[in-house]
Amino acid sequence: QVQLVESGGGLVQAGGSLRLSCAASGRAFVNYEMGWFRQGPGKERELVAHISPSGRTTYYADSVKGRFTISRDNAKNTVYLQMNSLKPDDTAAYYCAARWVNSNNYAYWGQGTQVTVSS
């Protein structure tokens, strides 16, 4: 089992940057695939980015490709989401999630951190 705690959200102007962090506690962080999700007002939750246990493989939603970067530091049990060129449409609650390697479901979720982008 793993516990996840996000941090780094806040209010930023359009065009600005934020870096979200997700600290994991528990065992075998290196065996988990990690994802960042978001849910904006009136919108469904969507997968923003995903990273493999080694960090060598990443996935990005089209809406953030080229602007967001997911990374992880397995020595620190932490996954990051660097968000650049933020837009008002990026306003959402951001959640990190973990799934056991090769599992289909994200079984563990953080409490979320709010990102608000003003125009």
Side-chain angles (χ1 to χ4, degrees):
Q1 190 166 353
V2 64
Q3 294 80 42
L4 304 172
V5 178
E6 303 97 334
S7 61
L11 174 64
V12 64
Q13 288 188 331
S17 299
L18 282 174
R19 187 175 83 154
L20 305 183
S21 299
C22 174
S25 60
R27 301 177 64 181
F29 176 73
V30 71
N31 288 325
Y32 287 91
E33 300 178 357
M34 301 298 296
W36 282 99
F37 289 76
R38 69 184 180 187
Q39 187 165 17
K43 298 180 181 179
E44 294 187 354
R45 185 176 63 192
E46 64 171 336
L47 175 64
V48 173
H50 170 90
I51 190 166
S52 63
S54 68
R56 286 194 291 267
T57 302
T58 57
Y59 160 85
Y60 297 94
D62 287 344
S63 57
V64 306
K65 204 171 291 184
R67 300 188 297 122
F68 290 11
T69 302
I70 189 171
S71 62
R72 66 191 293 163
D73 185 336
N74 286 339
K76 296 182 178 179
N77 284 10
T78 302
V79 63
Y80 304 97
L81 185 68
Q82 177 67 43
M83 306 186 295
N84 298 329
S85 302
L86 283 161
K87 305 174 181 180
D89 280 351
D90 295 319
T91 294
Y94 284 72
Y95 301 89
C96 75
R99 68 183 189 191
W100 189 256
V101 62
N102 294 326
S103 168
N104 290 328
N105 299 313
Y106 287 91
Y108 306 104
W109 293 81
Q111 82 289 351
T113 186
Q114 179 67 33
V115 171
T116 302
V117 184
S118 63
S119 57

